[in-house]
Amino acid sequence: MSLPLYIHGSSDVGRQRAQNEDSFRVAAQPDGSRLLVVCDGMGGHEAGEVASQVASDRIVEVIAASSPDNPPRALYQAFVEANQAVLDAALTRGAPGMGTTGVIAWVTSSRCYVGWVGDSRLYQFRAGGLIDRTRDHTRVAQMIAHGILTAEEARNHPDAHVLVQALGGSPGVQKSFKPEVWTEPLELRSGDVILLCSDGLYDFIEDHELYPLIEGRDYQDAVTRLIQTANERGGADNITVILLVAGQPEVPRTAKEPQEARRETIPDGMPLLAPAPVSEPVVQAPPVPEPRRREFVAPGVPATPAVAMPEASPGRRVPLWWLLATGILMMGVGIALGLGAANTPAPEPARGTSSQVETDAGTGALAPAAVQVPGPPASSEQDAGVAQSGPPEGMGTPHTTPAPAPPGGSRVTESGGK
């Protein structure tokens, strides 16, 4: 579907030049397409003005006679013939260095075919953003591409406007003459802006400043605003601008994104779709260790062997009453055993029994055994089953005297001693 196109162009001599060497053309073609051309002449003494006019006129003639079947090929051929026309004019006027730049936009329906030679530029803006721009055919542009200079350094470089491509010009430029044409067109949408200009504009207005200067303005007023700004900032060169706005006469304003999150709404008539179920991840709690059970054992009573607990069937728990009954039973058994051990009297040793002599199995030497001394009469206060003992007779040191035997007792001597 063809978009209505709103196109306006203008050229200004600037503040420091005596004559305007730029030229531009906005031409309607027989098939309804539009041809936009900007040329920036060079050579001085009216040679640049002649070169730009000769080139732009020849480009329009070639495109008008070309078939629209292959626009990129037609643009390339238009540059070739315009180059030859400038060379012929230079030879006729005796100005061998006469030349010009050239940039073309051929707009057919919603497509824009682009080609250029030199440093005149074409910009494409969409929704306030720069989405395409031609590449300058200059020495500093090549140095930037090879990493020799930065863009800021190139701006003030003495070779900033030394061309490596031009229509006409010196023999050195002609050796490398090769127009640059994009094989794929720019696709235009409603609100897109196409800007063609000479270096007299972008030398004083940065790329990121161009759209804010024209947004919200009528397409004719936008051209005036750009030229006025370049003049206010110096106007050291001729200034030429062509502006095309697709679909509307006003340059669209840049959409301002709100700071807060935007709400998404559903268009009228769109069926509501149930959200897909989202399965929540199953979180398993870590196993809780069973509390350690304490076992109480009566003093002096050996621990009873653990009673085998019947294994609970899977999925069932041992009843609490069973655990309580088992615990009470075990406690009762422990208490009974403890009481029985406490009430059992220890056997009394026989009176007058001599000590036993143990022989060392390895040496045959006699080892003294524990000597039990008969206790006092039964009437004395003494724990049952506890016998008093003292050192055996004859085992004292030379500085000690054996104690006399208690009344009614007998002295025990070692048997088999040396």
Side-chain angles (χ1 to χ4, degrees):
M1 180 180 178
S2 179
L3 291 172
L5 304 176
Y6 297 86
I7 306 170
H8 181 65
S10 181
S11 185
D12 188 84
V13 69
R15 298 287 177 87
Q16 301 183 22
R17 295 291 179 92
Q19 59 187 16
N20 192 347
E21 296 183 341
D22 290 356
S23 65
F24 72 95
R25 301 288 186 272
V26 177
Q29 301 301 302
D31 60 354
S33 61
R34 296 292 187 270
L35 184 66
L36 317 179
V37 183
V38 169
C39 292
D40 181 2
M42 56 186 180
H45 302 289
E46 299 183 356
E49 181 180 358
V50 172
S52 63
Q53 291 179 357
V54 168
S56 57
D57 288 341
R58 186 56 183 158
I59 289 171
V60 172
E61 293 172 0
V62 173
I63 296 299
S66 300
S67 170
D69 297 338
N70 193 345
R73 182 63 184 174
L75 290 180
Y76 190 91
Q77 187 61 32
F79 280 123
V80 170
E81 296 195 20
N83 180 62
Q84 188 60 49
V86 173
L87 290 175
D88 293 342
L91 183 61
T92 302
R93 296 179 64 88
M98 184 175 70
T100 184
T101 67
V103 59
I104 306 174
W106 188 6
V107 184
T108 62
S109 184
S110 60
R111 296 181 177 182
C112 179
Y113 294 90
V114 179
W116 74 99
V117 174
D119 62 352
S120 293
R121 292 181 181 176
L122 179 143
Y123 297 85
Q124 181 186 13
F125 297 95
R126 176 174 296 161
L130 175 62
I131 63 175
D132 245 322
R133 200 204 80 178
T134 55
R135 179 177 57 91
D136 297 342
H137 294 155
T138 60
R139 186 175 296 172
V140 294
Q142 292 180 338
M143 297 171 74
I144 293 173
H146 289 85
I148 301 174
L149 293 177
T150 65
E152 185 61 29
E153 293 171 341
R155 176 173 292 279
N156 300 317
H157 197 275
D159 295 338
H161 293 287
V162 176
L163 299 177
V164 295
Q165 292 279 344
L167 301 174
S170 65
V173 172
Q174 286 298 305
K175 287 182 180 179
S176 59
F177 176 74
K178 184 179 180 181
E180 190 163 353
V181 178
W182 285 337
T183 57
E184 295 296 327
L186 302 177
E187 297 294 336
L188 298 182
R189 300 178 185 175
S190 181
D192 283 5
V193 175
I194 300 294
L195 171 66
L196 287 77
C197 65
S198 61
D199 59 356
L201 181 73
Y202 65 76
D203 276 350
F204 299 96
I205 303 176
E206 299 287 346
D207 289 358
H208 66 273
E209 296 178 301
L210 292 171
Y211 199 86
L213 287 172
I214 63 176
E215 65 176 337
R217 296 178 178 271
D218 177 80
Y219 69 104
Q220 294 177 336
D221 185 34
V223 172
T224 303
R225 177 59 176 156
L226 290 173
I227 294 176
Q228 178 184 356
T229 303
N231 278 322
E232 290 173 352
R233 297 183 181 183
D237 199 354
N238 306 143
I239 309 163
T240 301
V241 176
I242 299 178
L243 189 73
L244 177 151
V245 183
Q248 61 188 58
E250 183 181 282
V251 178
R253 292 186 178 275
T254 305
K256 304 295 183 181
E257 294 292 338
Q259 295 297 327
E260 63 275 8
R262 294 179 298 175
R263 295 177 180 270
E264 297 293 338
T265 58
I266 300 176
D268 296 338
M270 179 177 290
L272 296 177
L273 300 178
V278 179
S279 58
E280 298 182 356
V282 179
V283 180
Q284 296 183 352
V288 180
E290 294 183 0
R292 183 179 298 177
R293 293 180 298 174
R294 296 181 179 180
E295 297 182 356
F296 297 93
V297 181
V301 180
T304 57
V307 179
M309 300 289 291
E311 296 183 359
S313 60
R316 298 180 59 186
R317 295 182 179 179
V318 178
L320 180 61
W321 64 267
W322 195 92
L323 294 175
L324 293 175
T326 304
I328 294 172
L329 177 62
M330 293 178 63
M331 186 177 297
V333 172
I335 293 173
L337 292 176
L339 293 176
N343 296 328
T344 302
E348 296 183 359
R351 294 177 181 270
T353 304
S354 61
S355 62
Q356 296 181 352
V357 179
E358 296 179 359
T359 305
D360 191 349
T363 61
L366 297 178
V371 178
Q372 296 182 352
V373 179
S379 61
S380 63
E381 295 180 3
Q382 192 174 10
D383 289 341
V386 179
Q388 294 181 352
S389 62
E393 185 179 356
M395 296 299 292
T397 62
H399 303 286
T400 60
T401 304
S410 60
R411 179 173 296 176
V412 181
T413 59
E414 293 182 0
S415 60
K418 292 185 179 179

